[in-house]
Amino acid sequence: MLVENTRLVQIGRAVTPYTQQKGTPIQPWRGESVEAHIEIYPEFRDGLNDLERFDRIWVLSLLHESTGFEMRVIPYRDTLLRGLFATRSPRRPNPIGMSLVTVDSVDIEKGIIRVQGIDLLNNTPIIDIKPYVPQFESIPDSASGWLENGNDTRVADDRFDKTD
Ligand SMILES: C[S@@+](CC[C@H](N)C(=O)[O-])C[C@H]1O[C@@H](n2cnc3c(N)ncnc32)[C@H](O)[C@@H]1O
């Protein structure tokens, strides 16, 4: 069933050094030393006001090079099949990415958010930016399922890099 009245617009794009999935950090904190920025398009730049006082932001994106999906996948950090929705695999029915990144600077006029640590390919469409609020979102003693004994992988391999 289609969700009716879906209204999604691309508000910007990621500018990163990554051109292929293989070798891209599997999560933002794995790519902290890499220079990257989010470019916000002119009509949305006014919304960047007051963002610079947040240390971190959620970047919601459309993982546009993701193709197809399966309901069981072997995640980057594991060797066993897991339910898709128990993973952060980029191959999903709706390939939406959520990346928690550190804000270095915000230039409202130019629409540039300089960030540290990003796990997105160059030109990934950005669909939203939200502040990270530790009072709401940091719950460190939560169970993290299979990740508690998963392998410590830093970058993506070609596991999900499919063109089917
Ligand atoms: C494991 S996913 C996690 C993404 C996000 N942090 C999340 O949890 O939703 C990160 C991987 O997605 C892949 N990726 C990044 N940008 C992409 C894009 N635009 N299209 C398809 N795959 C992408 C890269 O291989 C990267 O290592």
Side-chain angles (χ1 to χ4, degrees):
M1 191 180 80
L2 281 180
V3 178
E4 292 192 15
N5 298 324
T6 304
R7 190 176 49 87
L8 284 183
V9 287
Q10 182 177 352
I11 63 162
R13 68 181 184 118
V15 179
T16 80
Y18 307 119
T19 54
Q20 54 176 10
Q21 293 188 33
K22 192 174 178 179
T24 302
I26 61 165
Q27 286 296 334
W29 60 282
R30 286 299 192 195
E32 264 164 9
S33 58
V34 165
E35 285 227 349
H37 67 262
I38 308 296
E39 177 192 341
I40 300 295
Y41 297 151
E43 61 269 46
F44 306 106
R45 288 180 188 167
D46 202 32
L48 294 175
N49 277 287
D50 304 304
L51 198 61
E52 76 283 355
R53 290 186 55 224
F54 288 88
D55 280 344
R56 294 186 171 78
I57 53 173
W58 288 105
V59 176
L60 302 183
S61 62
L62 208 57
L63 302 172
H64 66 316
E65 291 194 14
S66 163
T67 54
F69 60 87
E70 284 111 33
M71 286 297 107
R72 296 281 210 108
V73 297
I74 300 174
Y76 290 132
R77 288 178 63 143
D78 207 354
T79 52
L80 301 176
L81 274 172
R82 307 286 182 184
L84 175 67
F85 299 129
T87 78
R88 296 291 189 90
S89 165
R91 297 182 71 235
R92 326 179 69 83
N94 295 303
I96 290 174
M98 46 184 281
S99 305
L100 183 62
V101 303
T102 305
V103 177
D104 265 351
S105 63
V106 180
D107 184 328
I108 298 172
E109 209 170 302
K110 293 188 179 139
I112 302 285
I113 312 170
R114 294 211 172 277
V115 298
Q116 273 178 49
I118 197 145
D119 56 354
L120 300 176
L121 295 178
N122 191 37
N123 277 325
T124 297
I126 304 303
I127 55 173
D128 208 355
I129 302 285
K130 300 189 189 205
Y132 169 67
V133 184
Q135 297 95 307
F136 301 165
E137 293 165 305
S138 175
I139 309 173
D141 57 356
S142 309
S144 50
W146 60 267
L147 279 154
E148 286 175 8
N149 45 18
N151 293 328
D152 188 20
T153 309
R154 284 157 210 274
V155 295
D157 51 33
D158 53 10
R159 217 171 291 180
F160 301 112
D161 197 358
K162 297 187 181 163
T163 49
D164 51 352

